[in-house]
Amino acid sequence: MMKSPQTLGLLLSGLLLMTAGTTHASLILNENFNSYIGNYNNQQYDSGLNVSYGGTVAGWNSSGEGAIHAVNLNGTGNFAAMFYRDNVITLALPIAANDLGIGYTVAFDAGPAVYAYASQQTTAADGLIVEILRGNNSVLSQFTFMPGAWAGLETLVPASFLYTGDGSGGYQRSYPNGAAHC
């Protein structure tokens, strides 16, 4: 059952994409979100880390209420993107990662999050939806990561999924409705 997203969702950091199924996998994209520039307005509930909204990350487009939200993980510019309600971030330009029959691995670190108030924390029902979009914006592959409920500290864990290219051209990665309840 899908419900309307209500809480601040997941953290996403250290995203990378590499080819799989070959003898020598090669890195295609590595994003750490450390180019984030936003509007600091509070401290994260429990952790005291600085949080921000309405930001930008070089090479990414965003939409949704206050997007892009972020938390500064160490006070020196190590950012993780956060998702709230209808937030979506998408690569601004397609990259070449959709060759016919080639397997690709998308790997990232993600975890539960909270903004400034306890009522804004991720619950066990919140998930991050990662979509691989073809050049025409149709979905080639979709993956949902369920990190669990906020437990008082930023805990990012590795996650990954595989997809196979269909040869229809470059793709864009999108994080639609990052805090979607499943």
Side-chain angles (χ1 to χ4, degrees):
M1 175 176 157
M2 294 296 283
K3 300 187 297 184
S4 174
Q6 298 299 316
T7 61
L8 187 63
L10 310 170
L11 292 176
L12 184 65
S13 179
L15 177 73
L16 54 94
L17 174 76
M18 57 189 115
T19 60
T22 61
T23 305
H24 303 305
S26 60
L27 182 65
I28 297 171
L29 174 72
N30 186 6
E31 175 63 68
N32 59 21
F33 298 103
N34 289 347
S35 67
Y36 178 83
I37 298 171
N39 303 298
Y40 287 98
N41 70 329
N42 224 316
Q43 290 184 326
Q44 188 177 54
Y45 177 77
D46 286 333
S47 76
L49 297 171
N50 291 325
V51 291
S52 145
Y53 71 97
T56 60
V57 175
W60 292 82
N61 294 325
S62 66
S63 65
E65 184 179 340
I68 299 174
H69 293 81
V71 60
N72 191 333
L73 296 171
N74 65 0
T76 61
N78 181 17
F79 291 98
M82 301 172 81
F83 295 89
Y84 180 69
R85 296 186 189 211
D86 62 347
N87 289 179
V88 175
I89 62 173
T90 306
L91 278 171
L93 299 172
I95 62 173
N98 190 13
D99 292 336
L100 180 63
I102 299 296
Y104 298 89
T105 300
V106 178
F108 54 93
D109 294 334
V114 65
Y115 207 71
Y117 304 102
S119 63
Q120 298 171 315
Q121 63 189 295
T122 303
T123 70
D126 291 320
L128 175 70
I129 301 167
V130 180
E131 292 181 340
I132 304 301
L133 303 177
R134 295 177 184 93
N136 65 4
N137 286 327
S138 64
V139 176
L140 172 63
S141 181
Q142 185 180 72
F143 175 77
T144 301
F145 176 71
M146 305 294 287
W150 171 255
L153 295 172
E154 287 304 344
T155 306
L156 300 175
V157 297
S160 65
F161 68 97
L162 304 172
Y163 74 94
T164 301
D166 69 1
S168 63
Y171 89 94
Q172 294 178 292
R173 181 170 33 271
S174 178
Y175 302 95
N177 301 320
H181 293 264
C182 295

